[in-house]
Amino acid sequence: MDKEFAFPAFPVIGWQVGPVEDLNGVVVKFGYSTSPYGPGATTFDSQFFSLTPEMVKSLIYDLERSLHRCEDKVA
């Protein structure tokens, strides 16, 4: 994912995250727009995605790595 604009990406406008004891994991749901968010933009909600604790840790790690790379480019 190093190439900018290599694929369409929907802007995320929000999310819901929470633990689910019966599943022994975490669920996440995203709100997104099909175009840059602004007046009149069409917005949608994804389905809930279920993640194991190990997957959540891995996702956090990957997000932090990506964030640091992004911040390093700006600095």
Side-chain angles (χ1 to χ4, degrees), residues 25-58:
V26 174
V27 293
V28 61
K29 178 180 188 175
F30 292 99
Y32 63 96
S33 176
T34 57
S35 62
Y37 191 65
T42 304
T43 60
F44 299 94
D45 286 330
S46 71
Q47 300 294 318
F48 278 101
F49 299 101
S50 177
L51 304 162
T52 65
E54 294 78 20
M55 292 170 77
V56 172
K57 290 176 186 176
S58 179

